[in-house]
Amino acid sequence: MRAHAFCPSAQENRFPVAVESTLEEPFGQTVAFRYQGQTAKPLPLWWRTAKDTPAGEGLWLGVAPRDVLPLYPE
């Protein structure tokens, strides 16, 4: 799944997240996050978004089914 696929307004595959850090870039921002309750062992996921998109406390992110690429056949 691409870092651009996460979306706060997506209703499918939607879970609360805990933001670890935000890196501002010239034309956007990269938000490092973990799902709430996820252990600290795996590396955080990245969400790439526009600079003016709020990314903080109480954030929920979802992914549209068309953006999910299964690694194994069903």
Side-chain angles (χ1 to χ4, degrees):
M1 156 176 5
R2 298 182 66 208
H4 293 86
F6 295 104
C7 180
S9 62
Q11 295 303 308
E12 300 89 3
N13 305 310
R14 182 179 167 92
F15 299 96
V17 300
V19 175
E20 291 205 351
S21 65
T22 302
L23 175 64
E24 289 194 31
E25 299 169 346
F27 303 105
Q29 63 181 343
T30 300
V31 179
F33 71 92
R34 295 180 195 279
Y35 289 106
Q36 282 187 0
Q38 184 180 4
T39 64
K41 181 145 176 116
L43 294 173
L45 297 170
W46 285 9
W47 171 39
R48 299 200 67 189
T49 187
K51 271 189 165 185
D52 59 349
T53 304
E57 196 87 19
L59 180 65
W60 285 63
L61 291 176
V63 179
R66 70 176 181 276
D67 293 326
V68 176
L69 177 65
L71 298 177
Y72 302 100
E74 292 183 17

